[in-house]
């Protein structure tokens, strides 16, 4: 029994923080898990910048409302779900992801949650569990599933390496160079074919 675990940002939808960086003109917010392996460090860095610029949840959600899935992402998911159970494992937050899940046809999403003050200030964040993607893949394996995983960033490597089959998708030159043992794809059709083959 197989279950496919996919990253969200950079794989199915554009990077939320990069879009927000471009909308606000704050270049520091372009930094993502492709650049910073330590997610807690990255999020605290982001929250400090939001505080400095007096930006809160509403401003981010307004930008998210303008984001569409990557071209072909919904069709890819629709096809994948005809032959595999699929869970999107993301380090994003419920308050960010819901509009994007609607545009993708409501796939199953495991993610985290933000702590938000009544005035909309983001005061902190709660991770679902430590190393959430790897932990989730191991938990699925413990109940009898073989996992197939794909993602683009440092925080995806654990689940990719721990799975029966794992693939980089739309990743960086640096990550691909550091992990030549991992098949890397740029097109949804190629990733779909690789997942299908891994399940044969």
């Amino acid at each position: 029994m197989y279950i496919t675990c996919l990253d969200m940002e950079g794989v199915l939808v554009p990077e939320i923080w990069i879009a927000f960086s471009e909308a606000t003109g704050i270049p520091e917010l372009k930094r993502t898990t492709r650049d910073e392996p330590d997610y807690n460090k990255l999020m605290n860095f982001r929250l400090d910048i939001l505080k400095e610029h007096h930006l809160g949840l509403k401003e981010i959600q307004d930008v998210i409302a303008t984001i569409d899935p990557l071209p072909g992402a919904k069709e890819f998911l629709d096809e994948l779900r005809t032959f595999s159970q699929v869970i999107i494992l993301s380090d994003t937050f419920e308050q960010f992801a819901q509009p994007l899940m609607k545009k993708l046809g409501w796939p199953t999403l495991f993610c985290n949650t933000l702590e938000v003050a009544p005035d909309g200030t983001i005061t902190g964040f709660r991770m679902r569990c430590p190393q959430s993607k790897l932990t989730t893949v191991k938990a699925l394996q413990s109940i009898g599933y073989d996992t197939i995983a794909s993602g683009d960033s440092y925080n995806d490597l654990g689940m990719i390496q721990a799975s029966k089959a794992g693939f980089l998708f739309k990743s960086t030159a640096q990550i691909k160079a550091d992990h030549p043992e991992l098949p890397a794809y740029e097109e949804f059709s190629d990733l779909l074919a690789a997942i299908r083959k891994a399940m044969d």
Side-chain angles (χ1 to χ4, degrees), residues 47-67:
L47 294 186
D48 286 344
I49 291 172
L50 293 179
K51 188 175 178 183
E52 179 187 335
H53 291 271
H54 307 290
L55 295 167
L57 180 59
K58 181 186 183 302
E59 288 80 7
I60 300 174
Q61 287 178 328
D62 286 347
V63 171
I64 291 170
T66 70
I67 296 174

Side-chain angles (χ1 to χ4, degrees), residues 65-193:
T66 70
I67 296 174
D68 287 320
L70 293 172
K74 184 178 186 301
E75 294 78 7
F76 161 77
L77 262 186
D78 289 346
E79 179 66 20
L80 178 59
R81 290 160 77 188
T82 67
F83 64 88
S84 175
Q85 295 296 313
V86 179
I87 299 177
I88 297 173
L89 300 181
S90 176
D91 280 338
T92 194
F93 305 95
E94 293 167 334
Q95 295 94 330
F96 290 178
Q98 287 303 311
L100 297 167
M101 292 303 100
K102 182 177 181 181
K103 291 179 181 181
L104 286 169
W106 298 111
T108 299
L109 169 71
F110 292 1
C111 65
N112 305 302
T113 191
L114 292 168
E115 295 169 349
V116 184
D119 67 356
T121 301
I122 301 171
T123 57
F125 56 98
R126 289 201 308 277
M127 304 300 281
R128 192 167 47 80
C129 56
Q131 291 186 287
S132 61
K133 298 182 185 190
L134 175 60
T135 303
T136 302
V137 158
K138 287 184 172 177
L140 290 167
Q141 291 166 352
S142 78
I143 57 171
Y145 283 99
D146 284 322
T147 58
I148 297 171
S150 185
D152 68 323
S153 296
Y154 285 106
N155 63 338
D156 300 313
L157 291 172
M159 72 169 179
I160 290 171
Q161 291 163 334
S163 290
K164 184 159 187 182
F167 312 104
L168 293 171
F169 188 69
K170 297 185 182 293
S171 192
T172 66
Q174 185 63 57
I175 292 173
K176 286 188 280 190
D178 289 346
H179 295 278
E181 77 283 3
L182 297 176
Y185 300 106
E186 299 296 322
E187 302 296 333
F188 285 116
S189 57
D190 294 334
L191 180 59
L192 192 69

